[in-house]
């Protein structure tokens, strides 16, 4: 007998959580009658919602304790504000405490979000940082699974959080990117990205493309039972692959390997990525090259490094890194600076691109590793003087 598929994408957030958990085990934490809603929206003429667009459910998944969180895309575009972000971070922090108390708990997040809610942007950014910290901590105890079923997808700060998950599942209808197509067109112009070109959108941020380029782990059918099976499989057979966010040298090697002026197909990208995986060193591009001193960030960096014994160890021209002493304490100073001759056009004016992000991560991880057995750790000082991030 042919059984019709049951779509997860077509369900509301609360129904998505119920559908993923074992039947009859769903129990909502902080339900609507507790009226935990955003205190900021009404002042801006926006009607708040009693669950602030995030559903947290406890129950069983495959017979094991689980916490499943779903973002409601129909409320403020799935935007993350103070309450919504705190509910997600709090759910994962509770799961971490469960593990520390000997109660294994399976954590899952179902994405449907455009990123930070603009009406409370700073609060949203702070809570997304808390979400990211909770994912990294929880990942040490158990796989943390993310699902992007469709509708909105995952964009903005939550797309960065998605990169921290142990495993990321996406449907063909799902989308994943730092900036949504409409945002790129609005801010950078139609010449940079035509949001009306649906083929371009799906070739860039669509689920199938993201799977082909190894940005996600599993391409799933939009069917509740098959999604449940895949989620449980990832918990039962987690594997030992290094998380994407820790494959720093591999991604830097990849970025050094291709020319952005040439057309890059998913197949070519994947071939370059396979060559780069496992790389353990990155090349120093700064030897014999002048580094820009035109920006305020570069000038502040130079002032902070202007002491005897300070050592600069930048790997690329657009990221300045050095070790110095500030108020008698060791510090590592980082700054993103312009490079007018850079091969990546969007960073020539000082914007932050992939190479800059991964290089900053490289220098921070290096300091953490070098200082892990020291009583006194270096402070990390970021000199922030950038206009934005590169959109695509």
């Amino acid at each position: 007998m042919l059984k019709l598929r049951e779509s997860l994408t077509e369900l509301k957030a609360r129904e998505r959580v119920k559908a993923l958990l074992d039947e009859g085990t769903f129990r909502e934490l902080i339900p609507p009658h507790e009226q935990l809603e955003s205190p900021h929206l009404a002042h801006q003429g926006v009607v708040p919602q009693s669950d602030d667009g995030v559903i947290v459910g406890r129950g069983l998944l495959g017979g094991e304790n689980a916490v499943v969180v779903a973002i409601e895309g129909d409320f403020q575009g799935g935007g993350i504000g103070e309450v919504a972000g705190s509910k997600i971070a709090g759910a994962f922090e509770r799961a971490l405490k469960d593990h520390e108390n000997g109660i294994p708990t399976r954590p899952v997040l179902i994405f449907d979000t455009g990123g930070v809610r603009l009406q409370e942007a700073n609060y949203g950014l702070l809570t997304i940082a808390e979400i990211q910290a909770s994912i990294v901590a929880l990942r040490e105890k158990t796989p943390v699974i993310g699902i992007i079923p469709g509708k909105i997808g995952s964009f903005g700060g939550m797309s960065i959080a998605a990169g921290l998950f142990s495993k990321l599942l996406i449907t063909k209808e799902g989308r994943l990117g730092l900036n949504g197509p409409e945002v790129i067109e609005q801010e950078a112009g139609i010449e940079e990205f035509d949001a009306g070109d649906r083929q371009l959108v799906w070739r860039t941020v669509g689920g199938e493309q993201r799977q082909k380029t190894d940005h996600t782990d599993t391409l799933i059918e939009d069917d509740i039972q098959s999604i449940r099976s895949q989620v449980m499989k990832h918990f039962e057979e987690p594997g030992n692959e290094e998380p994407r966010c820790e494959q720093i040298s591999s991604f830097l090697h990849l970025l050094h390997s291709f020319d952005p002026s040439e057309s890059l197909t998913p197949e070519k990208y994947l071939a370059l990525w396979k060559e780069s995986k496992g790389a353990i060193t990155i090349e120093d591009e700064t030897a014999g090259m002048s580094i820009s001193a035109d920006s305020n960030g570069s000038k502040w960096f130079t002032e902070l490094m202007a002491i005897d014994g300070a050592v600069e160890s930048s790997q690329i021209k657009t990221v300045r890194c050095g070790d110095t002493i500030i108020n008698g304490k060791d510090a590592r100073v980082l700054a993103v600076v312009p490079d007018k001759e850079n091969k990546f056009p969007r960073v020539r004016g000082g914007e932050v691109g992939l190479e800059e992000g991964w290089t900053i991560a490289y220098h921070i991880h290096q300091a953490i590793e070098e200082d892990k057995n020291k009583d006194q750790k270096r402070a990390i000082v970021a000199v922030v003087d950038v206009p934005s991030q590169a959109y695509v």
Side-chain angles (χ1 to χ4, degrees), residues 2-11 15-16 19-20 110 147-150 169-174 218-232:
L2 179 65
K3 184 177 180 181
L4 296 177
R5 289 191 309 170
E6 298 178 274
S7 170
L8 187 71
T9 298
E10 294 175 3
L11 299 178
E15 296 304 316
R16 289 179 175 184
L20 202 64
I110 305 173
I147 304 171
I148 305 175
L169 287 61
I170 192 169
T171 66
K172 291 181 181 180
E173 297 77 18
T218 306
L219 186 65
I220 52 176
E221 291 292 330
D222 182 20
D223 174 65
I224 291 169
Q225 291 308 314
S226 62
I227 291 172
R228 273 175 47 85
S229 296
Q230 287 291 338
V231 170
M232 288 187 284

Side-chain angles (χ1 to χ4, degrees), residues 107-174:
V108 181
L109 176 63
I110 305 173
F111 291 85
D112 206 10
T113 172
V116 172
R117 188 181 298 165
L118 296 182
Q119 291 90 346
E120 39 187 306
N122 289 341
Y123 294 112
L125 287 169
L126 287 169
T127 56
I128 284 178
E130 292 175 1
I131 292 168
Q132 292 168 342
S134 68
I135 294 167
V136 172
L138 186 53
R139 204 175 58 202
E140 296 296 316
K141 304 290 185 182
T142 180
V144 186
I145 309 299
I147 304 171
I148 305 175
K151 286 191 179 177
I152 296 172
S154 180
F155 292 98
M158 288 305 291
S159 73
I160 301 173
L164 299 175
F165 278 70
S166 308
K167 298 293 180 181
L168 195 59
L169 287 61
I170 192 169
T171 66
K172 291 181 181 180
E173 297 77 18

Side-chain angles (χ1 to χ4, degrees), residues 51 104 263 359:
D51 54 28
S263 177
T359 301

Side-chain angles (χ1 to χ4, degrees), residues 184-226:
I184 299 172
E185 181 182 302
Q186 176 182 308
E187 298 299 323
I190 197 169
E191 298 83 5
E192 177 126 358
F193 200 92
D194 181 359
D197 185 340
R198 307 318 295 169
Q199 288 190 344
L200 173 64
V201 171
W202 291 108
R203 288 200 311 268
T204 306
V205 298
E208 200 164 13
Q209 190 271 1
R210 287 311 196 192
Q211 179 65 21
K212 284 182 178 179
T213 52
D214 206 27
H215 285 82
T216 60
D217 298 283
T218 306
L219 186 65
I220 52 176
E221 291 292 330
D222 182 20
D223 174 65
I224 291 169
Q225 291 308 314
S226 62

Side-chain angles (χ1 to χ4, degrees), residues 240-255:
N240 56 6
E241 186 174 82
E242 189 178 33
R244 286 182 184 82
C245 61
E246 294 182 6
Q247 298 178 38
I248 298 169
S249 294
S250 295
F251 278 106
L252 283 170
H253 189 277
L254 169 69
L255 290 165

Side-chain angles (χ1 to χ4, degrees), residues 256-268:
H256 291 184
S257 300
F258 72 89
D259 182 350
S261 65
E262 298 178 356
S263 177
L264 185 66
T265 64
E267 292 74 23
K268 184 176 180 181

